[in-house]
Amino acid sequence: MFRRLHEPANAVTIQIDGSPVRAAPGDSVAAALLATGNPVCRQSPASGADRAPFCMIGACFECLMEIDGVPNRQACLVPVREGMQVRRQARPTPVGAVASPADKVAS
Amino acid sequence: MSAIDLAIVGAGPAGLAAAATAAELGLSVTVFDENTAPGGQIYRGIEAVAGPRARDLAVLGPAYAAGKAVVERFRASKAGYSPATTVWLVQKDRRLGILRDGKASMVEARRVLIATGALERPVPIPGWTLPGVMLAGAAQSLLKASGMVPAGPVVLAGNGPLLWQLAAQFVAAGVNIAALLETGSAYKAALPHLPAVVLAGGYLAKGLGLIASVRKAGVPIRRSVEGLRAVGKGRLQAVEFTAGGRAERIPAELLCLHQGVVANAQLGMAIPLKHEWVEAQRCWRPVLDAWGNSDVEGIAVAGDGAGIGGADAAVHAGRIAGFEAARALGRIDAAARDARAAGDVAAWRRHLRARPFLDALYPPARALRVPADDVMVCRCEEVTAGQVREAVRQGGTGPNQVKSFTRTGMGPCQGRMCGLTISEIIADALGKPVAAVGTYRIRPPIKPLTVGELAALE
Amino acid sequence: MSAPGDFDVIVIGGGLHGCSAAYHLAAARLKPVVLEKHVVARHASSASAGGVRRLGRDPAEIPLAMASIEMWHAMRATLGDDGEFRATGQVRVAENVDELRQCEARAAQVRALGYDHEVVIDRKELRRLVPAVAEQCIGGLYTARDGYAFPFKATTAFRLKAEALGAVVKEDTRVEAIERSGERWLVTTNRGPFRAPVLVNAAGAWGAEIARMLGEEVPIEPVALMMMVSGRMPHFLDPTVGSMGRKMSFKQMQSGTVVIGGGHRGRVDPLTELTELEFQFLGESARTVAAIFPLMKHAPLVRCWAGIEGFTPDELPIIGPSKAVPGVFHSFGFCGHGFQLGPVVGSITAQLVTGGKTNLPIEPFRVDRFAGSPPQA
């Protein structure tokens, strides 16, 4: 969705959902994401709708992503690092979607 | 653990100027910055715009380049700098909860300066959660920090100086601006404030220059835009609106929204410092004395976080806060503070003269302050304006009750994106002033901590 | 009714207990008014973690808790709203053999009193009920029909039903003075006078202040109980989980958020009615949670808060008639475990008001039981 005014010197490569993405040192993970064709960073935990980075200053919490195994990190505040593993976050399984063990006891 | 003299939260113009001033007067100072390099939002990436990126300065403009001197003076001082550090708590006893390297800890300070700057005012329109819609400041931040610009056609919508500045920057960078949609500017209301803005120096010429450069580039401009909507299936495809009674639809890959900035009062509200509603800016700000002191002993606020004044005013406000810190901690007496700060106080007041004009010229549109029922106002919990009104009908008398009814404001942003809108909707529904309705009680941590991070706190 | 301020009963306090009393009084065809100094459910009734728990209660409270649980299960039918009550059970985990022995002793004690709701579960049953529990947990105590509710919504459910039955709720109405005027009480507030032959004191942490206005000293300490809530998590837990050996109350709500309590105390300023959190204790709370639920390590804690609650020296509530003056019934000082008792204590209060007696044993909660004990510092 975004393009660079000039190619980065000393580019680093991060993985987003397993695909390599080139980024400039100093880029935030969210910036690196927005430079790809797909700006979606996660699904809304409330409805599951796709969301993308929105404020880029750490205020809106839309850009939460799993970074190096840690979920819910603000991708706009985390700088890229060579080899970083980034994942888009799926909507958490809603409560009630799985049968309750207590219900099974009752029946 | 020995207490530092002055803990400063935020490394924008106010925080950096205060740090340099206080350190030059011999205080031990640490600036805690959530970002990885100083500059705040306004001067974001200022140290990085060098080498291959030096030419970006031409795109970003002289107002941005002015940040270089502020950062250099801070770097030359003995003030400490703690980057990538989130301050998630400030207590009345001036202990700060910080998060660094995945571990929470507490820091003691004899004095605290909150310099957390501004946030963009929320712009709740239908479709504003679609990927492809972002705040204008977000796009500007990408330009400053990463030298990135929109790849496809972009629509800029709303009002305020930043919208025009971004448009001018996009023009300079050769971006395809499909349209600039102004949601209303109140020239008549602003006219009485014209002499003051002229006296403030430079503001009017700067603004007119930006508007002229956007016009000259042939960017399609629509005035008095209403009914703004972001539309698309799972992704922004077009922007719809009416202007001059005509409905229009403009295809776009990106929509940048903006309707001014408001004080980022989250940290002060969590303490809580006393706050007041500012009708002219339609936002909350802490109640402060002439030196930036809050109602809590030893805790001060400076810069846009104390009420919007802009970056130049923030530099002077920061220096004033630095002198006051030195006085409060016994380094200089009141007479010396007054003498040293006199130039900054005069300059600060001069810059603030521009505000009434800008506030009057760019009022947030009513439809964006008090949106229609079907508009989602809380992005985190997906609560609509209609649900908020329903909670009011069920007996919700203020934002905290409505929060309990609807979950609005309970998500991770803790009301940063919905707080103003919720207060405005409730005030409108009850026919009361916003000041009487109040706002959310903000709870620490003001930014989420993980269980593992908090577990490190002994 | 002869004048706008005249009612059958004045209920002081718009928390769960006040609203429950108002509902039961209105259901008994009386006209109560609830005087709330702030807004309904301002303090303990919205800050509560919402546990609907019989598990582990003081023996004196068990008969009341047994009656109350039936009222929770019937709440949708009686109030038209269940306050999001979910009967997903309550568990207390044992992390070592000593704690498991304590579970067995407790279950035996409860059985000896004639109840069978608390049962010991083994390692396998614990994992069936709470699959996410840590390896060192070897069993625990379990009550199947307990659960949790959403405190604000439960309080609101009582309030709305009471109002539908004719009760009046006055918010932002602070009691300034109480005096006896003939056969009636005259309560002066910032919003004018209210008169009724009967007063119910359901003023929570401020209950002792009201009692003092009536000439009755009760040692109550205002305490700020701290709570934390996570962001929405994938569904991993049904029952509410506590611990035999550590301070923890842990539940996943319908929204997916996890509410964590356990009795860690913050600081309270009863004058400003504000609380300050003590994060070193929340650090301990986080270590406990991480130890018992390892999957919580990366869970974001989005808010912490504390609710102001009244504690008595024996950590049992004050329920029943005033011993100093006629026509006054107390229901306050629930010491952080009054949520589950809300329905039944409101009903007890209505029974006392209408008939002067109740069929439940409330003698252990009498207001004058601290008489002669040294005054609170």
Side-chain angles (χ1 to χ4, degrees), chain B residues 301-380:
Chain B
V301 188
D304 274 357
I308 300 304
D312 294 332
V315 171
H316 297 293
R319 290 178 50 79
I320 293 166
F323 291 124
E324 169 62 1
R327 185 213 55 84
L329 297 178
R331 289 277 168 170
I332 56 175
D333 62 17
R337 173 203 63 187
D338 294 356
R340 286 167 189 263
D344 287 298
V345 169
W348 178 61
R349 290 196 181 133
R350 181 169 56 78
H351 284 295
L352 290 183
R353 281 190 204 148
R355 276 303 125 184
F357 177 81
L358 293 170
D359 293 340
L361 181 62
Y362 297 121
R366 183 183 150 83
L368 301 179
R369 289 192 289 107
V370 188
D373 278 352
D374 62 336
V375 179
M376 191 186 293
V377 292
C378 168
R379 300 171 59 99
C380 294

Side-chain angles (χ1 to χ4, degrees), chain B residues 1-5 28 30 106-110:
Chain B
M1 182 178 58
S2 64
I4 50 175
D5 287 335
S28 63
T30 302
M106 302 293 282
V107 173
E108 283 179 44
R110 297 174 66 200

Side-chain angles (χ1 to χ4, degrees), chain C residues 39-345:
Chain C
V39 292
V40 165
R42 167 65 182 89
H43 287 291
S45 297
S46 64
S48 158
V52 177
R53 175 181 62 79
R54 294 168 296 168
L55 182 62
R57 282 201 177 261
D58 188 286
E61 289 182 343
I62 293 178
L64 276 61
M66 296 305 283
S68 212
I69 193 70
E70 301 309 324
M71 299 169 81
W72 280 102
H73 278 266
M75 196 174 286
R76 185 175 284 285
T78 49
L79 301 182
D81 186 321
D82 61 10
E84 295 190 10
F85 172 60
R86 296 294 178 271
T88 47
Q90 290 244 357
V91 174
R92 270 194 185 174
V93 298
E95 293 179 81
N96 54 51
V97 175
D98 270 1
E99 289 176 11
L100 196 57
R101 287 209 183 100
Q102 287 169 33
C103 293
E104 284 156 1
R106 165 73 189 182
Q109 180 195 21
V110 171
R111 273 197 307 276
L113 293 168
Y115 303 102
D116 61 0
H117 59 288
E118 296 190 23
V119 297
V120 177
I121 52 173
D122 63 9
R123 171 185 278 278
K124 192 174 158 216
E125 178 68 358
L126 176 62
R127 274 162 188 72
R128 194 183 65 77
L129 291 166
V130 188
V133 83
E135 179 55 32
Q136 78 273 12
C137 300
I138 54 172
L141 270 174
Y142 175 55
T143 47
R145 295 179 74 237
D146 285 359
Y148 66 88
F150 189 153
F152 177 84
K153 292 202 171 167
T155 305
T156 300
F158 275 109
R159 176 228 179 127
L160 293 177
K161 188 68 177 180
E163 287 179 312
L165 293 173
V168 173
V169 176
K170 295 278 189 189
E171 295 184 314
D172 192 23
T173 303
R174 184 178 288 268
V175 173
E176 290 168 349
I178 306 175
E179 57 192 302
R180 192 76 175 163
S181 153
E183 291 299 294
R184 294 193 301 173
W185 291 103
L186 168 64
V187 176
T188 310
T189 74
N190 57 322
R191 296 192 177 252
F194 294 85
R195 288 174 211 83
V198 177
L199 270 190
V200 171
N201 174 12
W206 293 267
E209 270 179 52
I210 299 298
R212 189 172 303 125
M213 289 182 180
L214 298 162
E216 205 157 29
E217 285 296 324
V218 188
I220 288 275
E221 182 197 1
V223 166
L225 294 176
M226 298 191 293
M227 241 73 68
M228 317 192 275
V229 65
S230 79
R232 293 178 190 242
M233 305 268 297
H235 182 205
F236 69 94
L237 177 68
D238 291 303
T240 298
V241 181
S243 155
M244 292 302 290
R246 312 197 209 208
K247 290 165 89 163
M248 183 186 81
S249 147
F250 186 94
K251 63 177 72 74
Q252 187 170 29
M253 306 294 284
Q254 287 293 290
S255 60
T257 62
V258 176
V259 174
I260 301 161
H264 296 279
R265 295 182 179 192
R267 291 185 298 275
V268 59
D269 180 345
L271 283 182
T272 60
E273 301 184 11
L274 293 175
T275 57
E276 264 204 291
L277 304 172
E278 293 274 18
F279 268 92
Q280 71 273 30
F281 298 140
L282 292 177
E284 183 196 329
S285 183
R287 289 190 288 281
T288 297
V289 163
I292 296 177
F293 289 100
L295 59 57
M296 288 294 288
K297 185 181 170 199
H298 293 311
L301 299 167
V302 297
R303 269 188 330 282
C304 303
W305 69 91
I308 303 177
E309 167 72 319
F311 272 66
T312 61
D314 60 8
E315 300 208 0
L316 289 176
I318 313 282
I319 304 170
S322 164
K323 302 292 184 185
V325 287
V328 172
F329 299 93
H330 297 296
S331 164
F332 67 94
F334 283 87
C335 312
H337 51 257
F339 185 67
Q340 193 269 357
L341 299 176
V344 76
V345 175

Side-chain angles (χ1 to χ4, degrees), chain A residues 1-6 27 31 37 39 44 47 50-51 53-59 61-62 74 77 79, chain B residues 34 41 44 53 55-56 129 131 133-135 138 142 146-151 235 253 379 382 413 416 447-448:
Chain A
M1 202 162 78
F2 280 76
R3 64 178 168 85
R4 294 174 193 279
L5 289 175
H6 27 72
D27 280 353
S44 153
S47 69
D50 283 350
R51 294 291 179 91
F54 182 70
C55 81
M56 293 300 286
I57 63 168
F61 291 81
E62 287 293 5
Q74 289 185 276
L77 293 178
Chain B
E34 190 168 44
Q41 301 312 329
R44 180 185 274 261
R53 287 200 54 208
R55 62 194 138 137
D56 289 0
T129 56
V133 181
M134 56 167 45
L135 291 170
L142 282 161
S146 295
M148 287 184 189
V149 292
R235 184 87 177 259
E253 189 179 279
R379 300 171 59 99
E382 303 197 356
C413 98
R416 287 170 176 85
K447 289 226 161 174

